């Protein structure tokens, strides 16, 4: 077992385990129809020294899995150094990006591997290159992705296709999953469409303005494919079923969200939110104590990363979920 896996296990058993998304900048190459971060002005990049200090604080809080995001996290000039810091603190790290061209510059994939980055998660919306280019407003994005995948395959870094359910793919997710698998992705992560109340991380738009029935259709397809073990989908069956129940009747969910207590979002101002879609932060990372994160569970949205990770923290009800996750953790961790 690696040092990072041992750190996750130790913090879980002591009840201290937390996962965080850290948005390093609001600068972005993509111009997605379902997100307006790319429109924000002024452009903000987290201060290097403060970010390194924030990573230490988060590690002390028990953060053992970190997803670096943005905007485009790879546009930050010190991003490799932040990954190195995470590795030194035994934090399992993922890098989320929409523009694979950033992996083709400055020997970035090898530098991230050397820094200890564990997963590169790349947005993958469609099996159709033209649709992909249009949805992200990035010309030749599939060609860039194929070249990036060739580089990733030469390293120890795992690749993950980050698939958002939207109006172009909710009824053909298997085609998307197959295309991602054929391209060589190690895993697939499914993201659920949602609208945000945050002025910092605004999500929404026509592209994800789906009916609940459409979203449920997509989720039920993914659940069936997960049970058939046709594709390596990291979302647990229980997690996806929990969202289906939420969409049908929010009060029927088995697992409420531990946003804040066990999962959190840190923005480019170092404000900490229970969830990236909520309007008000819990506080600023430099003014907080770990006890400030001990907030009640929430059931306000279907934000995938937060809802899916929260199901691991529900005591005995989480045992089947833990067993399922353990079976696939050897490859992921």
């Amino acid at each position: 077992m690696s040092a990072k896996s041992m750190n996750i296990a130790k913090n879980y058993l002591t009840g201290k385990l937390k996962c965080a998304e850290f948005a390093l900048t609001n600068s972005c190459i993509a111009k997605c129809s379902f997100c307006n971060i790319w429109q924000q002005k002024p452009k903000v990049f987290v201060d290097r020294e403060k970010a390194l200090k924030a990573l230490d604080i988060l590690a002390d809080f028990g953060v053992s899995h970190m997803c670096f995001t943005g905007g485009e996290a790879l546009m930050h000039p010190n991003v490799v150094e932040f990954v190195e810091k995470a590795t030194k603190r035994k934090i399992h790290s993922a890098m989320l990006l929409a523009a694979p061209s950033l992996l083709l510059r400055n020997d970035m994939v090898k530098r991230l591997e050397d820094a200890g980055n564990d997963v590169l998660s790349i947005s993958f919306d469609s099996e159709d290159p033209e649709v992909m280019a249009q949805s992200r407003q990035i010309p030749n994005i599939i060609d860039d992705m194929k070249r990036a995948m060739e580089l990733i395959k030469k390293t120890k870094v795992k690749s993950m296709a980050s698939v958002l359910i939207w109006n172009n793919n909710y009824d053909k997710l298997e085609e998307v999953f197959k295309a991602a698998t054929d391209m060589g992705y190690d895993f697939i992560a499914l993201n659920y469409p949602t609208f945000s109340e945050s002025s910092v991380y605004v999500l929404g738009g026509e592209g994800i303005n789906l009916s609940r029935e459409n979203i449920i259709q997509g989720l039920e397809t993914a659940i069936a494919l997960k049970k058939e073990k046709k594709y390596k989908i990291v979302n647990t069956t229980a997690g996806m079923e929990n969202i289906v129940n939420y969409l049908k009747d929010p009060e029927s969910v088995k697992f409420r969200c531990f946003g804040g207590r066990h999962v959190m979002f840190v923005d480019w101002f170092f404000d900490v939110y229970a969830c990236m879609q909520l309007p008000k932060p819990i506080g600023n990372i430099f003014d907080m104590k770990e006890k400030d994160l001990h907030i009640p569970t929430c059931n306000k949205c279907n934000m995938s990363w937060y809802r899916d990770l929260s199901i691991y923290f529900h005591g005995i009800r989480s045992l089947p979920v833990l067993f399922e996750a353990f079976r696939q953790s050897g490859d992921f961790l």
Side-chain angles (χ1 to χ4, degrees):
M1 182 179 287
S2 70
K4 292 178 180 179
S5 296
M6 290 179 65
N7 188 45
I8 289 173
K10 179 195 72 174
N11 283 332
Y12 184 83
L13 292 173
T14 58
K16 193 177 180 180
L17 179 65
K18 296 175 180 63
C19 305
E21 285 195 300
F22 190 0
L24 303 179
T25 178
N26 62 354
S27 185
C28 196
I29 292 176
K31 297 179 180 179
C32 308
S33 63
F34 37 78
C35 168
N36 81 348
I37 288 176
W38 59 273
Q39 296 177 339
Q40 292 183 12
K41 294 181 181 180
K43 296 303 180 186
V44 181
F45 293 82
V46 295
D47 177 79
R48 172 185 173 274
E49 293 300 326
K50 288 183 177 180
L52 292 172
K53 183 180 178 182
L55 288 167
D56 272 326
I57 295 171
L58 290 166
D60 291 342
F61 283 175
V63 170
S64 309
H65 172 70
M66 173 74 67
C67 179
F68 291 104
T69 183
E72 283 282 8
L74 288 179
M75 294 183 72
H76 197 290
N78 304 113
V79 64
V80 174
E81 193 172 358
F82 300 154
V83 174
E84 289 175 342
K85 166 63 80 169
T87 299
K88 288 178 182 177
R89 293 306 307 265
K90 302 177 183 178
I91 296 174
H92 183 269
S93 66
M95 187 72 59
L96 181 62
L97 64 145
S101 61
L102 293 170
L103 294 171
L104 306 177
R105 307 174 184 176
N106 304 317
D107 204 22
M108 181 56 72
V109 174
K110 186 65 172 69
R111 290 169 61 205
L112 288 171
E113 179 192 29
D114 292 343
N117 181 226
D118 298 286
V119 179
L120 283 166
S121 181
I122 305 174
S123 298
F124 194 97
D125 306 318
S126 173
E127 78 287 0
D128 186 327
E130 292 185 9
V131 173
M132 272 291 297
Q134 180 63 31
S135 71
R136 299 283 172 172
Q137 289 294 294
I138 301 177
N140 305 312
I141 186 172
I142 289 294
D143 290 338
D144 291 341
M145 193 177 296
K146 289 177 180 177
R147 293 169 59 199
M149 288 298 297
E150 290 175 359
L151 295 175
I152 296 170
K153 286 299 180 184
K154 297 177 182 178
T155 71
K156 297 178 291 185
V157 180
K158 299 296 184 181
S159 59
M160 186 159 66
S162 181
V163 178
L164 171 69
I165 297 175
W166 65 303
N167 60 19
N168 180 270
N169 70 11
Y170 72 89
D171 57 349
K172 48 187 175 184
L173 283 177
E174 183 165 12
E175 289 93 327
V176 179
F177 293 172
K178 183 179 185 304
T181 302
D182 289 346
M183 193 177 289
Y185 280 98
D186 295 304
F187 303 100
I188 295 166
L190 192 62
N191 297 304
Y192 322 135
T194 188
F195 285 74
S196 171
E197 299 176 15
S198 169
S199 59
V200 175
Y201 212 96
V202 180
L203 300 172
E206 184 61 31
I208 59 170
N209 191 19
L210 305 176
S211 68
R212 293 190 173 211
E213 290 74 21
N214 290 155
I215 303 171
I216 290 170
Q217 178 182 345
L219 283 166
E220 289 180 340
T221 297
I223 290 168
L225 294 171
K226 174 87 173 183
K227 290 180 177 178
E228 293 172 15
K229 300 181 180 179
K230 292 189 67 173
Y231 304 99
K232 290 188 176 181
I233 303 168
V234 298
N235 311 65
T236 62
T237 304
M240 292 186 284
E241 290 175 342
N242 197 55
I243 299 302
V244 170
N245 290 336
Y246 173 83
L247 293 170
K248 290 180 177 179
D249 175 11
E251 296 307 312
S252 72
V253 297
K254 185 177 180 180
F255 304 102
R256 292 172 67 89
C257 186
F258 275 107
R261 179 170 288 203
H262 288 293
V263 287
M264 69 194 75
F265 173 71
V266 185
D267 72 8
W268 37 80
F269 301 115
F270 302 102
D271 288 328
V272 179
Y273 294 76
C275 171
M276 62 167 60
Q277 89 140 23
L278 296 178
K280 294 182 180 179
I282 302 170
N284 189 274
I285 190 66
F286 300 117
D287 301 321
M288 295 175 63
K289 304 294 183 184
E290 195 273 337
K291 63 180 178 62
D292 296 328
L293 297 170
H294 293 188
I295 61 178
T297 57
C298 180
N299 198 41
K300 293 182 179 179
C301 75
N302 61 303
M303 181 65 77
S304 51
W305 193 79
Y306 300 84
R307 296 304 297 247
D308 284 351
L309 287 174
S310 291
I311 66 175
Y312 296 113
F313 301 100
H314 286 262
I316 194 169
R317 282 183 294 162
S318 295
L319 289 179
V321 187
L322 286 165
F323 179 71
E324 178 185 335
F326 180 76
R327 286 186 300 172
Q328 67 182 25
S329 65
D331 290 333
F332 188 71
L333 298 176

